[in-house]
Amino acid sequence: NYRTYDEFNARLGAMATLYPQMATTFTAGQTLQGRAMNGMVISGPSVPGNAAADRPQIFLHGGQHAREWVSPMVTMFIGEHLLERYATDARVRAVMDRVQFIIVPVMNVDGYLFTWSNDRLWRKNRRPNGDGSFGVDNNRNWGYGWGGQGASTVPSNDTYRGPAPFSEPETQVMRDVVLNNPRIRLAIDFHSYSQIILS
């Protein structure tokens, strides 16, 4: 099934309540329209000599393209799977006792909400571009390789890169999550459609 933004927030809170020694919620930052970009940090309980706060981190996020509804569901499934199976699955326990996960299920909250209310296939955020068009493709707004192949300079285009690298609050927030967590060793941005891995 697919879940609304409110359902994601409720589930994040429920996971933290069910597994207080392994899960905490946090707000990474705000979107263009002032909505919270929420997530959770999960890991096995801290023990002497192996504190969760010292473990290498894996950063998972979804929903960068608003219409790709399965990507937030995948990130939540991973988090729930790890928490729910910790007590009964030795492989899950081994990973959770060695790694801390940072999970932000819905990066493009404004766009995601717009796909539920107005346009199911909306892709970008909801930036008013000043020419009657809306949206920047957050996926083309990151600083690395900004303006390269596959990014448009036309605001009405689905791949519009924005006026400058990191011009969008959503990419700024995600950049800052990475910069503020120097223990991150792996980051995966989940999308849907096309069976490919891009690095």
Side-chain angles (χ1 to χ4, degrees):
N1 203 352
Y2 298 114
R3 301 297 182 185
T4 66
Y5 169 66
D6 289 339
E7 287 175 312
F8 276 112
N9 289 336
R11 191 64 179 157
L12 289 169
M15 300 273 56
T17 299
L18 286 168
Y19 304 98
Q21 292 186 321
M22 294 191 290
T24 57
T25 59
F26 71 102
T27 297
Q30 305 295 315
T31 66
L32 181 74
Q33 296 179 340
R35 294 186 176 94
M37 297 167 64
N38 294 320
M40 66 179 169
V41 177
I42 65 172
S43 195
S46 292
V47 295
N50 182 13
D54 295 332
R55 296 171 186 162
Q57 295 171 314
I58 295 176
F59 179 34
L60 309 176
H61 66 92
Q64 184 160 204
H65 285 145
R67 64 191 178 199
E68 297 173 9
W69 284 5
V70 74
S71 71
M73 294 303 297
V74 168
T75 61
M76 281 299 292
F77 171 81
I78 292 169
E80 288 186 5
H81 180 86
L82 292 170
L83 291 168
E84 291 170 353
R85 306 267 175 113
Y86 179 82
T88 59
D89 187 321
R91 291 187 311 162
V92 168
R93 190 165 47 257
V95 170
M96 288 278 281
D97 286 344
R98 293 191 346 248
V99 176
Q100 187 177 64
F101 293 83
I102 301 170
I103 300 173
V104 177
V106 186
M107 174 187 163
N108 181 6
V109 177
D110 299 340
Y112 188 72
L113 285 168
F114 194 72
T115 65
W116 283 81
S117 62
N118 293 73
D119 182 350
R120 173 62 186 89
L121 296 180
W122 188 258
R123 171 185 166 104
K124 303 184 286 182
N125 74 0
R126 293 297 298 158
R127 162 84 58 198
N129 292 321
D131 63 352
S133 71
F134 286 83
V136 169
D137 180 0
N138 286 321
N139 197 47
R140 305 298 194 275
N141 190 243
W142 296 76
Y144 180 80
W146 183 79
Q149 184 177 0
S152 176
T153 59
V154 178
S156 61
N157 193 288
D158 266 354
T159 60
Y160 175 50
R161 67 188 186 183
F166 293 117
S167 62
E168 304 311 296
E170 297 87 0
T171 53
Q172 293 170 22
V173 167
M174 293 291 99
R175 173 200 61 200
D176 293 347
V177 167
V178 174
L179 293 177
N180 292 330
N181 291 281
R183 293 181 290 119
I184 291 176
R185 296 293 177 266
L186 173 67
I188 303 176
D189 168 22
F190 286 91
H191 288 255
S192 66
Y193 188 78
S194 294
Q195 287 68 47
I196 56 178
I197 296 175
L198 302 176
S199 64

